[in-house]
Amino acid sequence: MRFNVFWYVVHVKLNRASKLVHFFNKQEATVAFIPKKEQWFNIKGVKDYVVRDLYPDYVFIKSQLNKEEFEKQFNNFFKTVEGFVDLLEYDEVYSLKKEEQAFFEKLFGEGDIIRHSVGSNVNRRFIANSGPLKGLEDAIVKVNRHGRFATLKSSLFNGKFTVAIEVERSL
């Protein structure tokens, strides 16, 4: 059985993200996390994907509470911690828009890490065979084969961000 899930984004000041995650993960019907992504590293001969914070000053919260219920339940909490957290607001709404939420659900899957995608270059275009970019190829605006990342357009966070890729072959 699948519940309706709403996503909320909180900007955290003063390196308090882990405390906020801990608080929300103790609440009923909420799951909070600091978003992470895999990134390719090639330093002094050590080559591997490592996990890094995607947005270290942000906490993502998934909740079964719609925006009105969420605000009612946590309004006093956010007032008491004012000064070190800010809810991001889009059109006076604390939650992500449906298309933004669907985009992030696809990228994160069931976890809190955007894993790398594996695919091929076909006619100068990256086509994912596996991973979160499978089916999102139209969102890719640039591919850096040597740096092993694809740049995606997004309506959030400065309009673009990168996702790690592994190119198997070019056709």
Side-chain angles (χ1 to χ4, degrees), residues 33-38 51-54 108 112-114:
F33 62 95
I34 299 166
K36 300 181 182 325
K37 69 175 182 174
E38 286 186 331
V51 175
R52 294 277 191 217
D53 288 344
L54 179 62
F108 284 106
D112 62 354
I113 301 171
I114 300 174

Side-chain angles (χ1 to χ4, degrees), residues 2-3 16 30-31 38 41 48 50 58-61 63 76 93 100-101 108 110 112-113 121-122 127 132 149 152:
R2 180 156 167 88
F3 296 98
R16 304 273 192 214
T30 62
V31 174
E38 286 186 331
F41 268 89
D48 202 358
V50 297
Y58 290 88
V59 172
F60 284 32
I61 302 166
S63 178
N76 285 338
V93 177
E100 295 167 336
Q101 180 174 322
F108 284 106
E110 296 295 319
D112 62 354
I113 301 171
N121 277 335
V122 178
I127 304 297
F149 66 87
L152 280 71

